Amino acid sequence: MRRGAGRKGRWNNGETQTIRVPVAIKEDLINLGQALDQGHRVLSGHTLLELEDLLERWDAKCASNAEDDGLPTVRQLLTEIREILAENACHQHGHAHSCAANCQDD
């Protein structure tokens, strides 16, 4: 073995290891691993479901109280949260660009 010989690794966190995973979720796991390796925080599971449920409930409140003065602020907050969640979904799909609109089709 020569020092520096061979292919450079493509992971920021160094050494890799071979693991066995179900073929059906292989690409999702690779995308998740790459997002984590690049320092992204990843939302999934109950946290993501709870946030989506919270957004739906506040959307319903905004729709039923259209004359409330504070609603534009709440609507803006809901929009910003959705943008963050969409961006997070893009990173999980392996997209490196801002793709809130593009990931809707995935």
Side-chain angles (χ1 to χ4, degrees):
M1 263 185 143
R2 291 175 295 138
R3 179 174 228 179
R7 191 170 39 160
K8 299 284 184 211
R10 37 178 223 171
W11 295 90
N12 296 327
N13 285 300
E15 187 178 347
T16 61
Q17 179 178 6
T18 302
I19 61 170
R20 295 176 63 93
V21 298
V23 173
I25 61 171
K26 177 185 119 180
E27 291 302 317
D28 290 335
L29 290 173
I30 289 172
N31 291 334
L32 175 62
Q34 288 172 339
L36 291 170
D37 188 52
Q38 294 171 8
H40 298 289
R41 289 188 166 172
V42 178
L43 291 176
S44 62
H46 292 293
T47 303
L48 181 58
L49 294 174
E50 290 164 359
L51 282 172
E52 289 172 343
D53 183 54
L54 183 65
L55 288 170
E56 286 180 30
R57 284 185 288 161
W58 275 98
D59 272 339
K61 286 181 183 183
C62 286
S64 67
N65 297 313
E67 68 280 346
D68 190 335
D69 289 341
L71 287 180
T73 304
V74 172
R75 285 190 181 110
Q76 179 63 32
L77 176 62
L78 294 175
T79 298
E80 290 177 22
I81 292 170
R82 279 200 178 83
E83 288 170 359
I84 291 169
L85 290 174
E87 190 67 29
N88 181 270
C90 289
H91 288 295
Q92 286 187 18
H93 286 112
H95 301 288
H97 61 282
S98 177
C99 62
N102 295 339
C103 283
Q104 299 298 328
D105 300 329
D106 285 354

